[in-house]
Amino acid sequence: MEVINALGRRKASVARIYLSQGSGNIIVNGKDYKEYFTQAHIQLALVDPLKVIEVESLYDIKINVFGGGFKGQAEAARLGISRALVKVNEEFRSPLKTKKYMTRDAREVERKKYGKPKARKSFQFSKR
């Protein structure tokens, strides 16, 4: 099996996924994923697509991720892993789709408007 690559995005994060046959190693930006993502619920989000289709120890995954925070990066990687697994086998699509791992979360930060301190927040209104 050759190397299969996929792309995942979330908020300001972009994750490039390289999936190959292996023993279940996940490397994120040159580090083990447990070292890169230190929080347990973030690690779970990264490994969840593999657990859904029960292939945790079949593939080695190399991830290059940049931009955004750690939660956005983990969710971008999750989408990329799901897309790469579907490229390997089209039958993986339906269980991943029911868990909503195949949809790109399009929510982005709203831009700040002029005359306001934040995107929607206003200064205190004074009648007199």
Side-chain angles (χ1 to χ4, degrees), residues 33 37-47 70-72 74-75:
Y33 80 100
F37 297 116
T38 55
Q39 296 177 336
H41 68 281
I42 301 293
Q43 294 171 6
L44 185 68
L46 194 70
V47 184
F70 56 88
K71 186 164 174 35
E75 291 181 7

Side-chain angles (χ1 to χ4, degrees), residues 8-15 65-77 104 108:
R9 291 191 181 96
R10 170 77 170 102
K11 291 186 179 180
S13 303
V14 179
V65 67
F66 61 93
F70 56 88
K71 186 164 174 35
Q73 287 183 349
E75 291 181 7
R104 200 273 202 213
E108 297 275 343

